[in-house]
Amino acid sequence: MIVIQTSSYEELSRKAYELMRPVLIEKPDAVLGLATGSSPIGLYKEMIADYKAGNVSYKKMISINLDEYADLPVEHPESYRSFMNRNLFDHIDIDKANTHVPDGLAADKEAACNEYTAFAAAHPIDVQILGIGANGHIGFNEPGTSFDAHTHLVELKEGTRRDNARFFDNDIDKVPTHAVTLGLADIMQAKMIILIANGTAKAEAVRRMIQGPVDTACPASVLQTHPCVYVVVDEAAGYYVK
Ligand code: F6R
């Protein structure tokens, strides 16, 4: 793991984009593994700015998102499909038909999960963007998830729902109880991983991910066994790993 310390969220976003950019330039048909949440928003702004400057085209690229809430209508402003459209896809030339977000509405969730796993296996991710939960989750692989897991339905931990209540009028009861997520085994197939973490709330999770035992109690610790991971942190999130 290579840890890159930065001194602000803007710098963190720029550094993350500097790491990602060569893949976009060298591989016009790259497969991008994307995340939602607050962490990658600055990176997505960098991607949009460089696209608008005429330096990159996403026309032939494919994206595979990590996760989606279960049983939340896709039109809901906080569905991860809506998030991706609003924060990235609506502003670049990617073909929406090539953007993939797990189907949180499928009646047969297991079949939909298996399809998503098969799709990801057939389209190896060139660069995977990750955030990290305060409890060490990546995607929605909560503590205790097997490192061998593929796409599956999860029950979100109360802490995760509390953290995400900020997107649902600060009302935890409005936060979906379940989500569909790519599994840790799927994420580990990515050729290169860039994990973004900012803010004090992430400091302990970042420490456990980097210095703790490789243990399902901290799902992100599995990244210690991946050959190409960059962890880009601001001062607060990187406090214990200086
Ligand atoms: C989002 C995802 C989650 C988030 C994590 C951090 O697609 O998979 O693992 O990356 O919960 O969320 P933020 O960035 O909002 O702090």
Side-chain angles (χ1 to χ4, degrees):
M1 276 178 163
I2 295 175
V3 182
I4 298 170
Q5 304 268 358
T6 66
S7 55
S8 68
Y9 181 66
E10 289 67 34
E11 190 192 350
L12 171 154
S13 302
R14 273 199 309 276
K15 288 276 180 207
Y17 186 60
E18 270 172 33
L19 293 166
M20 181 185 200
R21 192 171 189 267
V23 179
L24 307 179
I25 302 287
E26 284 157 26
K27 199 163 177 203
D29 59 349
V31 180
L32 311 179
L34 300 177
T36 57
S38 306
S39 308
I41 288 180
L43 167 65
Y44 295 160
K45 286 190 176 143
E46 295 288 329
M47 289 167 70
I48 293 165
D50 206 25
Y51 160 72
K52 291 205 163 143
N55 298 324
V56 183
S57 171
Y58 293 85
K59 266 204 178 101
K60 294 188 192 149
M61 294 195 197
I62 290 177
S63 70
I64 300 179
N65 259 81
L66 284 168
D67 40 22
E68 179 59 284
Y69 289 118
D71 301 318
L72 188 71
V74 280
E75 314 76 50
H76 190 289
E78 297 308 332
S79 78
Y80 285 170
R81 163 54 73 184
S82 297
F83 175 100
M84 288 310 300
N85 287 349
R86 186 168 66 241
N87 287 293
L88 183 64
F89 300 151
D90 286 346
H91 310 286
I92 57 176
D93 63 349
I94 198 162
D95 180 348
K96 288 251 176 77
N98 290 335
T99 65
H100 302 270
V101 178
D103 182 357
L105 296 172
D108 185 344
K109 298 228 176 359
E110 200 181 326
C113 286
N114 292 341
E115 253 178 57
Y116 205 72
T117 295
F119 184 82
H123 300 83
I125 291 172
D126 291 294
V127 54
Q128 173 70 58
I129 306 303
L130 293 177
I132 184 170
N135 64 6
H137 73 217
I138 49 176
F140 272 138
N141 292 280
E142 297 280 37
T145 307
S146 163
F147 290 159
D148 296 328
H150 292 284
T151 313
H152 61 289
L153 179 69
V154 290
E155 181 172 5
L156 299 175
K157 298 275 186 204
E158 197 185 327
T160 299
R161 293 180 65 228
R162 214 180 306 118
D163 287 346
N164 287 4
R166 68 191 194 279
F167 300 115
F168 292 86
D169 307 324
N170 287 314
D171 181 353
I172 189 170
D173 292 333
K174 290 189 184 165
V175 183
T177 55
H178 291 74
V180 174
T181 183
L182 264 187
L184 295 168
D186 305 312
I187 293 170
M188 289 293 282
Q189 292 305 309
K191 293 175 195 157
M192 170 191 188
I193 296 178
I194 302 171
L195 185 141
I196 295 170
N198 64 297
T200 314
K202 302 294 174 67
E204 178 59 13
V206 168
R207 186 193 68 71
R208 292 172 71 203
M209 164 175 69
I210 295 172
Q211 297 175 347
V214 177
D215 190 296
T216 57
C218 178
S221 65
V222 73
L223 298 176
Q224 290 179 30
T225 67
H226 188 285
C228 184
V229 178
Y230 295 89
V231 177
V232 193
V233 290
D234 69 353
E235 277 170 14
Y239 185 78
Y240 299 118
V241 295
K242 276 178 202 152

